[in-house]
Amino acid sequence: MGKPLIIGNWKANKTLTQAKEWAGELAQKWSPKEATVEVILAPAFIHLAFLRDFFADKNLPVKLCAQDLSSYTEGAYTGEISAKMLSRLADYVIIGHSERRNYFQENEEILKQKVERAQEAGLSPIYCVFESGLSVPDGVEIIAYEPLFAVGTGQPDTPQNASTVAGEIKKRYNVRIIYGGSVKQENARDFLEQQNIGGLLIGGASLSASEFVNIIQNAV
Ligand code: PGA
């Protein structure tokens, strides 16, 4: 399956100044020589270019992920960020997060279009589902299982149940399944030890550089 993916999702947090401070602290505290995990960061769009240059400059193996993209290719869609704009800035894009489904009314048709836009631009979708019964568009290679009760609540799923659900999803789609929902430095390893869990999507705990470094250095 390859190294576990550890993905930090900043959501709508951090000014550019705060993003720079976080990156500086990461560079100071993390010695990635023997990294046993693949580290991915999903900041706001406006921080992608700075972080890409910063990580390249410091020789830090952090890949970047967009938190969203437009379902349109390009054109007269005020406020949208197209897949093409992101293709030099990120390798991955989160699609189908429960916050996008709930607060922005993104339905399965829109999500399918977003996956297609991502694939056309060479971005790899990290497709979120909040239960095993949800459908996943063709060609998705990473699925994040994020139960609603666990996202941002401090009430994670149990590692055993998360692995059972990940197993059900895997049976259907046979791709890498990661877990998200109240992952912290205290429980990260318990999830990664589960057979069906190939990585973590981390919201709140990724906002602290020192906690994120603890997770990536002690995860496996
Ligand atoms: P959380 O968020 O770690 O703050 O629960 C996870 C996510 O929404 O991806």
Side-chain angles (χ1 to χ4, degrees):
M1 188 157 66
K3 292 179 184 179
L5 309 180
I6 305 289
I7 308 169
N9 175 13
W10 283 358
K11 309 189 180 184
N13 291 293
K14 294 199 189 294
T15 62
L16 181 56
T17 305
Q18 291 169 327
K20 287 179 177 175
E21 282 166 9
W22 187 100
E25 198 180 336
L26 180 93
Q28 223 173 43
K29 295 190 168 156
W30 183 34
S31 35
K33 264 179 261 135
E34 289 158 32
T36 50
V37 294
E38 187 173 332
V39 179
I40 301 170
L41 184 64
F45 291 128
I46 56 163
H47 303 329
L48 285 168
F50 163 74
L51 289 165
R52 175 199 56 187
D53 295 346
F54 181 89
F55 294 137
D57 194 47
K58 300 276 183 213
N59 222 350
L60 289 172
V62 181
K63 298 230 167 114
L64 288 167
C65 178
Q67 294 177 18
D68 187 27
L69 83 176
S70 180
S71 60
Y72 295 98
T73 312
E74 63 184 345
Y77 306 104
T78 300
E80 290 289 84
I81 304 285
S82 74
K84 198 166 149 189
M85 294 174 198
L86 292 168
S87 65
R88 296 270 178 101
L89 294 171
D91 292 306
Y92 298 91
V93 57
I94 297 171
I95 298 175
H97 193 284
S98 55
E99 289 154 9
R100 303 275 340 154
R101 294 179 192 254
N102 291 341
Y103 300 133
F104 304 96
Q105 290 78 44
E106 293 192 0
N107 59 32
E108 300 219 328
E109 182 50 34
I110 290 174
L111 299 178
K112 183 168 164 279
Q113 288 165 9
K114 290 192 173 196
V115 167
E116 287 167 7
R117 297 295 84 75
Q119 290 164 338
E120 287 160 8
L123 296 164
S124 180
I126 294 166
Y127 195 88
C128 302
V129 297
F130 52 83
E131 58 186 34
S132 59
L134 292 187
S135 67
V136 174
D138 288 346
V140 167
E141 288 172 358
I142 303 166
I143 300 173
Y145 164 55
E146 297 208 308
L148 294 178
F149 64 80
V151 173
T153 60
Q155 316 264 314
D157 201 346
T158 61
Q160 295 73 17
N161 189 60
S163 183
T164 302
V165 178
E168 288 164 16
I169 300 169
K170 206 169 183 163
K171 234 186 226 153
R172 212 164 143 199
Y173 293 105
N174 194 27
V175 295
R176 183 196 288 264
I177 314 296
I178 67 175
Y179 169 77
S182 298
V183 174
K184 305 269 179 262
Q185 56 191 1
E186 294 77 19
N187 61 15
R189 187 195 276 259
D190 299 337
F191 285 102
L192 288 176
E193 279 171 359
Q194 302 298 318
Q195 191 192 349
N196 296 319
I197 297 178
L200 300 170
L201 183 50
I202 304 170
S206 72
L207 296 175
S208 152
S210 62
E211 180 158 6
F212 194 64
V213 169
N214 283 343
I215 292 173
I216 61 187
Q217 295 206 130
N218 302 313
V220 279

